[in-house]
Amino acid sequence: MSLNKIFTVLMSSCLMLFCLNKAMATPHLYTPVFKTQQIHYIIVEVSEVDSIFLNKKNIKLEDLSVGIDSISTAFKSNGFEINSLAIKIFTDTPESLVTKIKAEVKKTSIKLIDVQVRKEVTIKKVNDSMVVRYNSIIERWKSQDPEDRVFTKEEVLYVRETYKKMDFKQIIKAQKLPGFIPNIEELDSLN
């Protein structure tokens, strides 16, 4: 082995030891490259309207412990031990509901509860006057004979975009989005 190679290996080793020693001496400056995240196979979610879901399926509070046990048992029969779960709530979820959910979880074999708080995601984007305009446009189209219907690009865009932004309650109360509305591309080719 040449002297240059020995020197390079020795210097590399010293540099690595120096960096490692520095990182250990100042742990507050050291940030690990890899972060681990717990994977939860059982997830209890509380919706914005305080409905409870167990692994994406709606469930009653009183059935929660039985549902958790059945999922845990299924994993155990496949050789996996499930000892934790996540409870996903919103910032405005009532504390009393969270306490009741935790009480149901404590009836099971789960030992660790990871409560994850998230901000409200669905903000009402469509106000009542927008729904009124949406309904009036669709009612006008429905009242016209199919061969006499006139579609403007502005109205079609408004109806489609408003429908996309409505929450579930608004969709139920509003006119159904008709299937005869042309695509914007079709309007562009007609005009």
Side-chain angles (χ1 to χ4, degrees), residues 17-191:
L17 283 172
F18 174 77
C19 291
L20 181 61
N21 197 18
K22 196 73 166 160
M24 292 175 74
T26 56
H28 63 283
L29 298 176
Y30 173 71
T31 51
V33 177
F34 299 103
K35 293 184 179 180
T36 60
Q37 180 179 355
Q38 174 72 36
I39 297 174
H40 297 288
Y41 295 101
I42 303 176
I43 299 173
V44 178
E45 291 182 82
V46 179
S47 73
E48 293 166 293
V49 291
D50 298 338
S51 295
I52 302 171
F53 295 87
L54 177 61
N55 287 0
K56 305 281 185 195
K57 294 180 183 170
N58 198 330
I59 191 165
K60 294 178 184 175
L61 179 65
E62 56 270 11
D63 298 333
L64 190 58
S65 60
V66 173
I68 292 169
D69 277 338
S70 69
I71 294 170
S72 183
T73 302
F75 273 96
K76 195 177 280 188
S77 68
N78 289 325
F80 298 102
E81 187 74 31
I82 303 293
N83 60 4
S84 68
L85 62 70
I87 300 175
K88 295 182 179 182
I89 61 172
F90 288 97
T91 53
D92 61 346
T93 301
E95 187 61 37
S96 60
L97 179 59
V98 177
T99 303
K100 290 175 184 175
I101 291 171
K102 286 180 180 178
E104 287 297 314
V105 172
K106 287 179 183 176
K107 295 177 184 177
T108 68
S109 62
I110 300 297
K111 293 173 182 51
L112 178 68
I113 301 172
D114 178 15
V115 178
Q116 301 172 1
V117 182
R118 50 196 170 160
K119 292 182 179 176
E120 192 172 346
V121 289
T122 56
I123 300 167
K124 189 173 179 181
K125 299 175 185 175
V126 178
N127 60 35
D128 292 338
S129 64
M130 293 170 75
V131 175
V132 168
R133 180 174 176 214
Y134 166 90
N135 283 336
S136 67
I137 293 170
I138 291 179
E139 286 172 6
R140 182 170 35 86
W141 286 340
K142 286 181 176 179
S143 68
Q144 298 169 340
D145 290 329
E147 56 277 348
D148 296 331
R149 282 190 191 122
V150 178
F151 298 101
T152 65
K153 188 174 184 176
E154 177 194 348
E155 287 180 334
V156 171
L157 272 171
Y158 181 83
V159 166
R160 289 191 182 278
E161 290 303 311
T162 302
Y163 184 80
K164 285 181 196 174
K165 294 177 183 176
M166 283 188 218
D167 62 29
F168 185 69
K169 290 178 185 175
Q170 289 172 323
I171 290 172
I172 290 174
K173 292 179 182 177
Q175 291 278 331
K176 183 181 175 202
L177 188 65
F180 58 73
I181 300 175
N183 293 326
I184 301 301
E185 296 80 22
E186 293 173 29
L187 283 175
D188 286 340
S189 65
L190 294 174
N191 295 336

